[in-house]
């Protein structure tokens, strides 16, 4: 990767006015990114570092903090809800990543033609993304109630109704349905913009060579979409590991839906184990870092950048 070179005139530093212009050209890029760097430092890096430090302390507001080393991690790993929470988080993440990317890609391919109806559908698909999760959760609570619309539709086909949020067999799937419904429009539009950016010359050449639609998709379209799919893979994974609101609203962690972030919440707010909660947050951070490294090492090599 070559570094950009800045052409410096021979007499740039001898003339005071030219010297100010030259210094301004050097400082301006850093000044433009400085606010973002400061926001990240204050609201991202500092809390993360403080969380890691607190994970080695027994935090007590009245008696002060006491250094306990790795005791918080030992207590966390021996906690009866930790490993089920890790399992539930992985299940939710894998399901969300798969369905959001696959369904988003299907909708993107369906809506790639610029027609009046497709334009209306695109606008309606994006509406759930801008709706508050609380409103969406309350609507789905009504739809998935024992006497709600979903069970009413099942009764048309003489099928028994399901306890969507009140059974360990369906609660996690129901939460995934809510999250997928809310986010599918956003991710579909990202992939749609990528689909429309594929050069038509390549697709026309494939048609002239009598290439089938499936072969054209896997040999041309999918490689051209790989940067956007890779981006969505990382962002959806991170967002899925941080799921909390839908679990808190819909099931309150019951029916085998306790996830890592909800466990951190209960440890800190309900149990008063802030140090153990900080250790759980650190473990979550490490898991996300491992997934990100694996993605870049394994899948990053398969990304086709134009």
């Amino acid at each position: 990767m070559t570094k950009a070179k800045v052409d410096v005139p021979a007499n740039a530093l001898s003339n005071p006015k030219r010297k100010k212009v030259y210094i301004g050209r050097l400082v301006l890029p850093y000044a433009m990114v400085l606010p973002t760097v400061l926001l990240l430092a204050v609201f991202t890096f500092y809390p993360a570092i403080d969380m890691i430090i607190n994970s080695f302390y027994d935090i007590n507001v009245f008696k002060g903090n006491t250094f306990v080393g790795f005791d918080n991690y030992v207590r966390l790993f021996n906690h009866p809800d930790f490993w089920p929470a890790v399992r539930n988080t992985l299940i939710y993440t894998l399901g969300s990543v798969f369905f959001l990317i696959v369904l988003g890609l299907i909708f993107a391919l369906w809506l790639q033609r610029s027609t009046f109806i497709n334009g209306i559908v695109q606008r309606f698909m994006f509406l759930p993304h801008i709706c508050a999760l609380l409103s969406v959760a309350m609507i789905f609570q009504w739809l998935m109630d024992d006497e709600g619309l979903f069970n009413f539709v099942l009764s048309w086909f003489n099928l028994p109704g399901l306890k969507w949020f009140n059974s360990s067999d369906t609660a996690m799937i129901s939460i995934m349905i809510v999250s997928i419904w809310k986010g599918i429009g956003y991710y579909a539009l990202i992939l749609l913009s990528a689909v429309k950016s594929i050069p038509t010359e390549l697709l026309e050449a494939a048609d002239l060579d009598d290439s089938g639609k499936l072969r054209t998709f896997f040999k041309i379209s999918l490689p051209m979409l790989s940067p956007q799919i890779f981006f969505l893979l990382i962002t959806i994974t991170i967002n899925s590991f941080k799921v909390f609101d839908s679990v808190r609203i819909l099931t309150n962690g019951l029916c085998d839906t306790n996830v890592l972030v909800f466990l951190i919440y209960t440890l800190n707010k309900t149990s008063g184990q802030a140090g153990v909660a900080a250790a759980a947050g650190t473990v979550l951070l490490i898991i996300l870092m491992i997934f990100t490294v694996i993605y870049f090492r394994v899948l990053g090599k398969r990304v086709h950048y134009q």
Side-chain angles (χ1 to χ4, degrees), residues 161-193:
L162 299 176
K163 295 183 177 297
W164 297 93
F165 295 116
N166 299 318
S167 173
S168 300
D169 298 329
T170 57
M172 182 58 72
I173 297 175
S174 302
I175 293 175
M176 289 170 55
I177 292 174
V178 176
S179 301
I180 292 170
W181 182 87
K182 189 178 187 306
I184 187 63
Y186 172 74
Y187 298 115
L189 290 181
I190 292 178
L191 291 173
L192 177 61
S193 62

Side-chain angles (χ1 to χ4, degrees), residues 6-9 12-13 15-29:
V6 179
D7 295 331
V8 182
L13 301 179
N15 190 322
K17 182 179 286 188
R18 291 185 177 181
K19 183 177 181 180
K20 290 182 179 180
V21 173
Y22 173 67
I23 294 176
R25 289 175 59 188
L26 290 179
V27 174
L28 182 61

